[in-house]
Amino acid sequence: MISNKNNTDLMEKIVSLAKRRGFIFPSSEIYGGFGSGYDYGPLGVELKNNIKKEWWREMIQIHDNIVGLDSSILMNPKVWEASGHLTAGFADFLVECKKCHKRFKGDEIKDKCPECGGSLTSPKKFNLMMKTFAGPVEEESSLVYLRAETTQGIYVNFKNVLNSMRLKIPFGIAQIGKAFRNEINPKNFIYRTREFEQMEMEWFCHPKEAPRYFEFWKEERMKWYQNLGIKKENLRIKEIPKEDLPHYAKQGADLEYKFPFGWGELEAIHNRGDWDLSNHSKHSGQDLGYLDPDTGKKYYPYIVETSAGVDRSVLAFLSEAYSEVKGGRTQTTKSTKEIEILLSLHKRLAPIKVAVLPLVRNKKELTQKAKEIYQDLKRHLRCQYDEVGSIGRRYRRQDEIGTLFAVTVDFETLEKNDVTVRDRDTMKQVRVPIVELLDFIKQKLED
Ligand code: ATP
């Protein structure tokens, strides 16, 4: 097996597989693409949904005291004044080339323009909020912002959720949704884009408890990625020194993954103190303090947040799962130099759980039986039916997209009413009676 981490062009291979097999396409490709936009294809959307489902399950179902929310993307612009996004906090420094007038992120460029060698202006602040207009008239008063993070929708709903759900501190609110940032330097495929999706959980707690929960949530989040198949050595926590913390944070850490291009942030964990609730109280004139029913004391809860990128998670899980096997994993490659791709996605994340394959397509009895099995299984599991090409080639196609089990219908099936089930990872094949097939696979998916 070729180790993916030694492969310098692994990123290109992932981009190519993603496009070829319907995971991720460049946005608006027929018009020459659109900046850093990407579209998730039929398998990509399944993978992405499975990641979101797993995160939701972990936060809402497994942890106690966390509830969900789906707030709107467009909000009253005052939200962004209060949060600090419109002022100093949410900006990058930009330099412009005096010759070709291209702009670059100031902290990445030192002296000359990397494009034409021209000299650069001194750095200027550039706000990352994307703007649009709400309503028929494009004027200052109808200016609104596309949210730059999902979490502000959580803070402004703090009281609504607290009261309607009769919650007590500590508790969490979790949300998944799109966010937009006018990134100066989108790069590395879906790693940094201008439109992306976040999975954010805000944990409201007593100020004294916040440092403990900050540690707790770092550990919890590390475990989540590992439980879904990411190796420990490819994850690390980078504590953010005080002087580099964002304007709202008291403590911060980046959870990083070893992407094919190097270590990069997958998720941020912050102790945000009372920044959000106190500022929204101040700006809105509404009291967002919490009255402790046990002590009768009022205070602003501190917030510990875990803020993960869905797209970066997709890239991390794809990178982790991708491997190449030289010469004949499935014994269908003619040359030993040929390479077969295996996508060992975790069973909960794999887009397709089962492929149903008749041994050959020109025997009606086999295709008919295989279709019957497929019709039955697909009501319970994400399945695919495939009859095109040699059986080995079809196994390879399924390995490439991470399908967990291949069910083959052969001549013995017609006599004995059983099928061969091939396991993606071990390639072991076992005979299973058709009547037991669904339970057999379900059991394997539960294990
Ligand atoms: P970076 O410095 O790497 O751009 P950030 O520190 O600005 O990230 P946060 O504001 O902490 O990111 O956002 C939380 C999470 O949202 C990030 O860990 C990342 O997974 C995701 N995220 C942020 N910006 C982008 C982006 N432009 N494209 C894709 N995902 C993003």
Side-chain angles (χ1 to χ4, degrees), residues 152 215 274 346 443:
Q152 294 301 326
E215 297 306 318
D274 65 359
H346 188 275
Q443 184 62 50

Side-chain angles (χ1 to χ4, degrees), residues 247-258:
H247 62 279
Y248 49 77
K250 289 197 177 311
Q251 291 174 284
D254 287 347
L255 193 161
E256 294 190 330
Y257 176 70
K258 199 173 183 186

Side-chain angles (χ1 to χ4, degrees), residues 36 85 90 92 105 128 148-149 179-183 185-187 189-200 225 246 248 253-255 259 264-270 305-313:
S36 72
H85 280 78
F90 196 61
D92 267 341
K105 235 174 149 168
L128 300 181
E149 55 185 24
F180 304 81
R181 294 182 190 176
N182 203 1
E183 297 281 1
N185 204 1
K187 62 178 176 188
F189 193 32
I190 52 173
Y191 178 81
R192 181 171 292 122
T193 50
R194 297 198 173 108
E195 174 182 345
F196 55 96
E197 214 167 346
Q198 291 184 311
M199 307 182 279
E200 299 198 295
Y225 291 103
Y248 49 77
D254 287 347
L255 193 161
F259 286 99
E265 178 183 329
L266 193 52
E267 169 159 354
I269 297 127
H270 291 114
E305 82 166 345
T306 67
S307 173
V310 177
D311 313 84
R312 287 188 190 180
S313 298

